[in-house]
Amino acid sequence: MPSGLVALALGGFGIGLTEFLIAGLLPQVASSFAVSEAAAGWLISGYALSVAVGAIALTAATARLPRKAVLVGLVALFVVGNLLSAVAPSYPVMLLGRIVAALCHGSFFSLGSLVARSLVAPEKKSRAVAVMFAGLTLANVLGVPFGSLVGERWGWRTAFWAVTAIGVCALVGIAALVPDGAGETRSQTVTRHSDPAPADGLRAQFRAFRSCQVWLTLTATALSYGGMFGAFSYIAYTFTEVGGFSPSDVAWLLMVYGVGLVVGNLVGGRAADHDRDRALVLALLGLAVTLAVFGLLAANATASVILVFLMGLFGFASVPGMITRVTDFAHGAALAASANVSASNIGNALGAWLGGLAITAGLGYTAPLYVGAGIVLISVIVMAVAARQAKSPAQRTEPCM
């Protein structure tokens, strides 16, 4: 494993911690600043909105800059945001810190995935992306318990100081271990010092979106995330109100889900390097079946434990392949990789909204699982269409617009 990949994974781990640990610290933060739970919730929703905006805006703004330098700058922004949160004297400053830290999230993972795949042989590119995302999946497992443990023992500010330190280590690691020129196209390398507007500048980045395959992959990404996170958003209610688990059981059940994410990410990356489209269709189909069966067997405690693990496994098994697929058909355009991050966040919001509507309609706490299965099934169809078109040279290169 190239040492640069380890540095990228550490950066992903730190960014993931920032996203997830706040859930375990929210009551303490709200009490510290004397704000309502609803106001404190903006520390989560504001972060998510900033991720969606920053993914496109920062990637577009830095399209002509060296990717390694941009990654270092993004991690520096992450450090500044968490430092602001750690020392925040008021709630508005805390919210500002969260927004600043979130701005780097999407661009880091989009550019990082391009750099990661350039560090290994072409036949291992999906596995390289999986290694980088391993930091994010580990953060999903450890983020909430880490925040809760550190917050209870040493206060919520200590958690943000710890994440700031991780960010500094990642910044130094990326600067030292990622080779100069990693993840860049030949045109960038040749023209940077002679031409202020490289051939794959912002205009070329937007041209990548003429590809039908790019749009089909982004649609499949949004739908797959929407189905999984639409169900996941209400999973605690499913466990306690349907499965008969106690509220204290939810933490370890979520860790089982997180372990599934880690395993799915690594297995999915390896499978995508063998036959990417087939692996993607099977992963999405597995997720749709898992969610539907989960809805049927949610009252069975043993089945719930197994199915929440499979939900994480199939849910993240498609991530490395989706990222390499969209960037391949976009000819390495970083903006397309960022759009993939934005699509996943849009899917999260859509899925959570539809799942909430189902519960409000009185369909019960298993309804989000069935809604999620339906959304993912549409994703399977979209991915199958994309895979079929990709087999035809004429259709593969045909523009949508």
Side-chain angles (χ1 to χ4, degrees), residues 75-92:
V75 179
L77 191 66
F78 166 79
V79 170
V80 170
N82 281 283
L83 186 60
L84 269 177
S85 296
V87 302
S90 63
Y91 172 76

Side-chain angles (χ1 to χ4, degrees), residues 39-341:
W42 273 101
L43 297 175
I44 296 176
S45 53
Y47 184 97
L49 290 172
S50 298
V51 169
V53 173
I56 300 296
L58 284 184
T59 303
T62 58
R64 299 177 181 178
L65 300 177
R67 286 175 177 169
K68 176 182 174 179
V70 173
L71 282 175
V72 171
L74 291 171
V75 179
L77 191 66
F78 166 79
V79 170
V80 170
N82 281 283
L83 186 60
L84 269 177
S85 296
V87 302
S90 63
Y91 172 76
V93 176
M94 175 72 175
L95 182 58
L96 176 62
R98 292 286 293 167
I99 291 172
V100 170
L103 288 174
C104 76
H105 185 123
S107 290
F108 177 85
F109 283 109
S110 61
L111 290 175
S113 65
L114 294 173
V115 171
R117 57 184 285 171
S118 74
L119 299 178
V120 298
E123 65 272 14
K124 296 181 180 180
K125 59 188 178 184
S126 292
R127 273 173 278 183
V129 172
V131 169
M132 191 199 74
F133 271 83
L136 178 63
T137 56
L138 283 173
N140 198 304
V141 178
L142 302 175
V144 175
F146 172 83
S148 299
L149 178 64
V150 173
E152 288 175 7
R153 295 196 175 188
W154 298 290
W156 64 267
R157 293 182 188 274
T158 305
F160 283 97
W161 279 113
V163 175
T164 300
I166 292 172
V168 171
C169 292
L171 190 153
V172 173
I174 291 170
L177 301 176
V178 173
D180 293 333
E184 298 176 15
T185 62
R186 184 178 178 184
S187 60
Q188 281 180 302
T189 305
V190 171
T191 63
R192 178 169 301 112
H193 299 295
S194 58
D195 182 354
D200 55 349
L202 193 55
R203 183 176 298 177
Q205 298 266 337
F206 279 108
R207 277 201 300 270
F209 290 96
R210 297 179 60 193
S211 166
C212 278
Q213 287 294 321
V214 168
W215 283 107
L216 287 169
T217 309
L218 292 176
T219 302
T221 294
L223 291 169
S224 63
Y225 269 85
M228 180 174 69
F229 282 99
F232 178 74
S233 297
Y234 305 97
I235 200 70
Y237 294 104
T238 306
F239 285 139
T240 57
E241 302 299 324
V242 181
F245 291 97
S246 68
S248 60
D249 289 327
V250 173
W252 68 262
L253 287 166
L254 292 181
M255 290 191 72
V256 172
Y257 169 79
V259 172
L261 293 180
V262 174
V263 175
N265 175 57
L266 297 176
V267 172
R270 182 172 291 272
D273 281 330
H274 289 287
D275 188 338
R276 185 171 58 199
D277 283 358
R278 182 171 182 269
L280 288 174
V281 170
L282 290 176
L284 296 174
L285 185 60
L287 178 59
V289 172
T290 296
L291 292 174
V293 173
F294 200 167
L296 292 172
L297 302 180
N300 184 296
T302 302
S304 292
V305 175
I306 296 171
L307 289 165
V308 78
F309 170 80
L310 292 177
M311 180 177 160
L313 187 151
F314 285 117
F316 230 79
S318 63
V319 170
M322 286 292 192
I323 292 172
T324 56
R325 192 179 201 280
V326 76
T327 50
D328 278 352
F329 283 105
H331 305 293
L335 201 58
S338 292
N340 199 68
V341 176

